[in-house]
Amino acid sequence: MDKTITPVRSLRGSISVPGDKSVSHRSLMFGALAEGETVIRNLMPGKDVGNTRSILQQLGVRITDDGDAVRVRGAGLFGFSPPEKSLDAGNSGTTMRLMSGILAAQPFVSILTGDESLSKRPMNRIIIPLGQMGAIIDAQPGGTCPLTIHGRTLSPIHYHSPVASAQIKSCVLLAGLHTEGITAVTEPALSRDHTERMLKAFGVPVKRENTTVSVQGPAKLTGTEIMVPGDISAAAFFLVAASLIPSSELRIRQVGLNPTRSGILTVLRRMGCEITEENPQSVGDEPMADLVVRSGRLSGTVIEGDLIPQLVDEIPVLAVAALFAEGETIVKDAKELRVKETDRIRALETNIGLMGGRIETFEDGFRIMGPQKLTGAGLDSYWDHRIAMAFAVAGLMARGQTVIRRAECAEISHPGFYEDLEALSHV
Ligand code: S3P
């Protein structure tokens, strides 16, 4: 689908963004591994989470819709049935990497496949630690999927991950839940900690010391009630758009503010953006609040180091903010952007160039001097939901029309994104 974006005068009103994607995946998976029933409210309706749900169903887990909640009947750690066919993770790295940790410990063989984008993404990062635990996983040359996972009894390890990645950490911890003993993961910087927080809600003790997290297996998860907070990564597009477009004011209701995810707020506030938090709540150890954002004048900043894992998915839209901010913005230590749904540094370079903007790229980041004037252009999403939505925001600020090809990939994390944007737009 081609989506045409035209400039708007202001964004005003209030909006609820979909439930957090990371929390949604985990609530389904942990609910499936638990004993008893788990009731999930505000589960993200996007495609990635749908893939996790359908894989669990193919493993025999009963998942039903019940009004405003989703009910998961727990199968227990070893209660899955062998799948009849290969399991499709679609575009979802979280589905593939976390499910690999679970499947590696099951007493059967399973095959995990993905779409064209996921089939290019690195899987050795989980195959290596799972192999150290005794798993046997056949991948394609270069360590990509489809993965054939020969499930078996695993042993605990202490894994020192070369990358700060919640997907790697969660994969190893999930495998560790099935073993006899302590499984620990040390990462170079703290990545999002939803797994740790949610395991506690399911009754599993989790120890953390600096950037080392450990669990003791075999664990017993007990079904629970989960309220999924609004996804801060989905809120990010509205936060940036409202702060850039004059006379804008938005309320984004009940957004998750887990400190390992809220780097976008730190950076936008540092750039001069006015964001206030109202009606704070904490449900199941995940803090949330309404965010109220008003337009303002932004200035450039440096985004690097331990902050990167706290906003890794928000960097494409932060690049758009940087184009309109006064002065220099530098992003470094963000090599992970090269292996997301697309090479996001390359996608930013191409699309900003097509809009007549300038960006200097490095292997691990980029430099942008602002403010710049952008001209509407024909762009590709590269089938990356965050690239599609970031350039929809850029299109609101450009001169003329912007057409985003393959724009429907926004549905991966925010079904109805363009309609929500239009509903808030004043032209
Ligand atoms: C996710 C972790 C992040 C993030 C992804 C979701 C998760 O990936 O980019 O969108 O749910 O654990 P990495 O942990 O690989 O950085």
Side-chain angles (χ1 to χ4, degrees):
M1 165 189 110
D2 284 357
K3 181 73 200 169
T4 302
I5 307 285
T6 47
V8 297
R9 249 185 325 119
S10 66
L11 288 179
R12 302 187 75 82
S14 58
I15 179 186
S16 297
V17 287
D20 187 274
K21 185 155 75 70
S22 294
V23 174
S24 294
H25 283 298
R26 287 161 175 78
S27 64
L28 289 169
M29 290 181 199
F30 297 5
L33 291 171
E35 283 163 31
E37 188 181 65
T38 292
V39 180
I40 310 167
R41 294 202 161 73
N42 200 33
L43 186 76
M44 165 174 277
K47 290 198 169 158
D48 272 14
V49 174
N51 290 321
T52 292
R53 178 179 176 148
S54 103
I55 286 178
L56 291 170
Q57 284 171 321
Q58 286 175 70
L59 293 167
V61 181
R62 234 180 97 85
I63 304 177
T64 47
D65 290 299
D66 178 8
D68 64 345
V70 170
R71 289 177 187 271
V72 183
R73 195 190 290 163
L77 281 187
F78 295 102
F80 296 139
S81 330
E84 280 167 13
K85 52 187 179 68
S86 57
L87 305 168
D88 186 4
N91 190 249
S92 174
T94 306
T95 307
M96 178 155 294
R97 296 194 176 111
L98 271 58
M99 282 309 304
S100 295
I102 296 172
L103 292 169
Q106 304 301 321
F108 51 75
V109 177
S110 44
I111 299 173
L112 275 171
T113 63
D115 72 3
E116 205 185 314
S117 149
L118 188 54
S119 302
K120 292 188 194 131
R121 296 179 64 186
M123 293 301 150
N124 278 338
R125 53 179 56 199
I126 53 143
I127 295 173
I128 291 168
L130 290 175
Q132 289 174 10
M133 297 177 87
I136 299 177
I137 301 179
D138 304 325
Q140 306 311 302
T144 51
C145 74
L147 305 179
T148 303
I149 301 178
H150 306 267
R152 57 208 294 253
T153 304
L154 302 181
S155 314
I157 50 164
H158 185 159
Y159 185 59
H160 292 263
S161 174
V163 195
S165 156
Q167 294 183 353
I168 299 174
K169 173 173 66 180
S170 304
C171 166
V172 175
L173 292 177
L174 280 166
L177 295 176
H178 296 79
T179 67
E180 292 274 351
I182 295 174
T183 291
V185 180
T186 300
E187 33 182 10
L190 186 63
S191 64
R192 64 189 66 190
D193 66 358
H194 302 298
T195 294
E196 295 90 307
R197 286 173 190 246
M198 201 184 288
L199 279 176
K200 287 185 195 153
F202 277 88
V204 178
V206 180
K207 263 178 63 185
R208 187 180 128 204
E209 222 174 294
N210 301 317
T211 61
T212 300
V213 181
S214 59
V215 291
Q216 163 101 45
K220 180 172 179 281
L221 285 75
T222 307
T224 187
E225 293 205 7
I226 307 271
M227 172 70 196
V228 182
D231 196 329
I232 192 165
S233 299
F237 301 100
F238 295 92
L239 290 172
V240 169
S243 59
L244 292 177
I245 301 170
S247 315
S248 296
E249 179 169 338
L250 287 185
R251 174 181 295 269
I252 315 173
R253 285 185 293 263
Q254 292 306 305
V255 178
L257 297 179
N258 177 320
T260 61
R261 286 288 298 285
S262 55
I264 175 88
L265 300 185
T266 311
V267 168
L268 284 177
R269 284 175 175 146
R270 211 204 270 158
M271 292 175 87
C273 181
E274 196 192 322
I275 305 172
T276 54
E277 293 165 29
E278 295 180 10
N279 306 324
Q281 279 190 50
S282 187
V283 186
D285 217 16
E286 289 283 355
M288 51 181 138
D290 289 357
L291 296 179
V292 179
V293 55
R294 294 183 188 84
S295 53
R297 284 171 70 86
L298 301 192
S299 43
T301 189
V302 178
I303 308 171
E304 62 183 339
D306 291 0
L307 195 52
I308 296 292
Q310 294 176 26
L311 45 65
V312 66
D313 292 337
E314 286 66 77
I315 293 175
V317 79
L318 281 171
V320 174
L323 287 165
F324 296 99
E326 185 83 35
E328 186 180 66
T329 295
I330 297 180
V331 171
K332 50 186 174 190
D333 307 319
K335 208 165 118 211
E336 279 295 292
L337 294 178
R338 299 272 181 200
V339 291
K340 292 294 179 188
E341 284 82 334
T342 187
D343 175 342
R344 288 184 173 158
I345 296 176
R346 187 129 71 111
L348 284 170
E349 186 174 32
T350 309
N351 282 350
I352 290 173
L354 286 167
M355 297 183 90
R358 288 174 318 281
I359 174 173
E360 182 191 345
T361 61
F362 324 121
E363 190 44 35
D364 70 341
F366 53 84
R367 183 200 313 266
I368 288 174
M369 271 306 285
Q372 300 188 23
K373 288 201 174 0
L374 299 185
T375 310
L379 309 175
D380 190 14
S381 70
Y382 297 94
W383 201 248
D384 181 325
H385 51 133
R386 305 213 193 273
I387 293 296
M389 294 187 275
F391 282 93
V393 174
L396 297 177
M397 297 284 296
R399 200 154 36 88
Q401 282 193 343
T402 297
V403 179
I404 302 171
R405 281 187 294 277
R406 301 195 286 167
E408 69 273 26
C409 61
E411 288 185 11
I412 287 166
S413 61
H414 189 158
F417 168 76
Y418 302 103
E419 291 78 5
D420 284 346
L421 200 55
E422 276 156 29
L424 300 167
S425 297
H426 292 252
V427 287

